[in-house]
Amino acid sequence: QMLLKLGVAEHVPTDFYVTFDCDVVLARPLHLGDLVRKDENGALKGVTQGSMGGPHAHRWLSSSLDSFFGTTPGSAQQKGGVDGAHDCRVSNLMHTVGVTPAVMSKHGAIATLKRLERRAEEEGKRGWDEYLFSALEDGLDWTEYGLYAAGTCLDGSFNRHHV
């Protein structure tokens, strides 16, 4: 299900989409303004949940960030990925996307997949999905939301897509 939440972006006809887990129940009606808002220039932006929490959040985000640089824990730091043009340290990623329901940018998710696809080619894998499975087997405990947060941070698009 985690791979589907990212991969579906290539088939979504809208600029944003919402993901739910099977254990999520809406307590009130859901309205468009709950999910997206216009910024000062009139552009639609997805509303974020605020932050990822819990005892595993740091590990999940760290593993997700590492996935863009290699398949082992610490790959991002070893390759200088956290000190690039964008400040994508785990402490900053904590304040992006949490858990379901999540509003995801179609364009942000597709850019994340393309970045992972390039990494997959470098690792000799057939696709981003095979690459991510191999990263799990090598000890990276990534999540779909962690990958999305890290991918959109690394390309500098998170704030373009979200408020």
Side-chain angles (χ1 to χ4, degrees):
Q1 104 186 10
M2 291 192 293
L3 295 179
L4 287 173
K5 290 176 188 172
L6 288 172
V8 73
E10 296 175 336
H11 305 282
V12 172
T14 58
D15 287 338
F16 295 93
Y17 62 101
V18 180
T19 62
F20 290 92
D21 281 346
C22 64
D23 59 352
V24 173
V25 177
L26 294 177
R28 62 180 176 80
L30 189 62
H31 302 285
L32 183 60
D34 297 331
L35 306 174
V36 294
R37 297 198 181 120
K38 288 185 179 181
D39 68 9
E40 60 277 354
N41 299 317
L44 286 178
K45 291 190 172 192
V47 176
T48 61
Q49 299 165 319
S51 64
M52 184 180 283
H56 306 292
H58 189 276
R59 184 183 80 241
W60 291 335
L61 287 168
S62 181
S63 287
S64 297
L65 181 61
D66 285 338
S67 296
F68 290 92
F69 298 92
T71 61
T72 55
S75 294
Q77 195 158 21
Q78 291 169 5
K79 296 187 179 178
V82 294
D83 297 319
H86 307 286
D87 193 356
C88 299
R89 288 175 292 164
V90 170
S91 59
N92 291 338
L93 296 177
M94 295 284 265
H95 305 289
T96 56
V97 179
V99 294
T100 61
V103 178
M104 308 204 23
S105 160
K106 168 185 176 169
H107 306 291
I110 289 172
T112 295
L113 293 175
K114 286 182 180 178
R115 183 180 282 265
L116 288 167
E117 190 70 30
R118 288 191 300 272
R119 184 77 223 156
E121 288 173 14
E122 292 172 11
E123 295 285 332
K125 302 299 181 190
R126 289 186 299 242
W128 61 269
D129 49 351
E130 180 183 326
Y131 168 70
L132 288 173
F133 276 117
S134 72
L136 281 173
E137 291 171 358
D138 289 343
L140 289 184
D141 195 12
W142 52 264
T143 69
E144 68 276 44
Y145 303 120
L147 292 169
Y148 178 82
T152 56
C153 179
L154 289 167
D155 74 8
S157 70
F158 187 83
N159 291 329
R160 274 198 321 269
H161 299 304
H162 294 279
V163 290

